[in-house]
Amino acid sequence: MLDPVEVSFSKSWKPDRTGGPITAAERQTIKDGLARIFREELQKELRSGGYALVSTEDAGVLRIRADLFSPPLI
């Protein structure tokens, strides 16, 4: 069972270095896209490893939670 992927950015992330500030909606679009891509790729890997993905908890079901976090750049 694969939980929704959570994506967060460091509060010090400054995306405006590459072409101007971004809106809250654009930031959310980036987060949603990253979560979708990561989830799709993780599903492919799990399936190729012989794991069946289910949507409900049951005995013997492994639940996976993935969080993506962008640490501050140093």
Side-chain angles (χ1 to χ4, degrees):
M1 181 173 177
L2 185 56
D3 285 351
V5 177
E6 296 292 327
V7 177
S8 60
F9 298 114
S10 168
K11 290 182 184 197
S12 65
W13 180 53
K14 302 210 182 314
D16 56 347
R17 291 186 215 162
T18 60
I22 64 171
T23 66
E26 290 169 323
R27 183 181 294 250
Q28 189 61 48
T29 298
I30 293 168
K31 289 169 74 171
D32 293 344
L34 287 171
R36 180 185 48 77
I37 292 167
F38 184 84
R39 183 179 175 88
E40 288 171 358
E41 293 302 315
L42 183 54
Q43 287 174 335
K44 284 182 203 175
E45 287 299 314
L46 290 169
R47 286 186 178 119
S48 72
Y51 293 94
L53 295 173
V54 297
S55 58
T56 57
E57 292 184 54
D58 200 356
V61 170
L62 173 66
R63 187 172 192 165
I64 299 173
R65 178 179 176 203
D67 294 331
L68 302 177
F69 174 72
S70 171
L73 298 175
I74 297 175

